[in-house]
Amino acid sequence: MGTATGVIDSGPPSGGALLRGWAAMDGKRADCVLVVDATGVVVGGGITGVGRPDATSAAGGESRAGWLAAAAPGVTEPAVLVTAGPKLYRVHVAG
């Protein structure tokens, strides 16, 4: 699993909360965003292609690198993964 250029900028992920961020791999936006629990089970997901003009430069020129996701309520310490083709990348909290 690789690390994408990008961040979770809605704060530490938690179950039942809206998660927001951006990610790019080689200047391209993510194909899919997933939320997994500590064992790797998918517990949520969301949409990619959200406009993020504030992240365009950091995302290698990709203006729609944003994503929105949610995890099931009650999930503790979820992780956000994005896909680009067949590869998974972990996105970390900003800061």
Side-chain angles (χ1 to χ4, degrees):
M1 184 179 328
T3 300
T5 300
V7 296
I8 302 167
D9 55 15
S10 56
S14 63
L18 178 64
L19 309 174
R20 179 184 67 248
W22 64 272
M25 291 65 57
D26 297 321
K28 294 181 174 58
R29 68 183 174 108
D31 298 321
C32 180
V33 58
L34 302 169
V35 184
V36 298
D37 67 12
T39 65
V41 172
V42 175
V43 293
I47 61 168
T48 61
V50 176
R52 286 295 302 261
D54 61 315
T56 299
S57 178
E62 174 58 66
S63 64
R64 301 189 62 80
W67 53 263
L68 298 170
V75 174
T76 58
E77 299 183 35
V80 174
L81 306 177
V82 294
T83 66
K87 295 184 180 178
L88 287 171
Y89 299 84
R90 186 168 183 164
V91 183
H92 298 280
V93 176

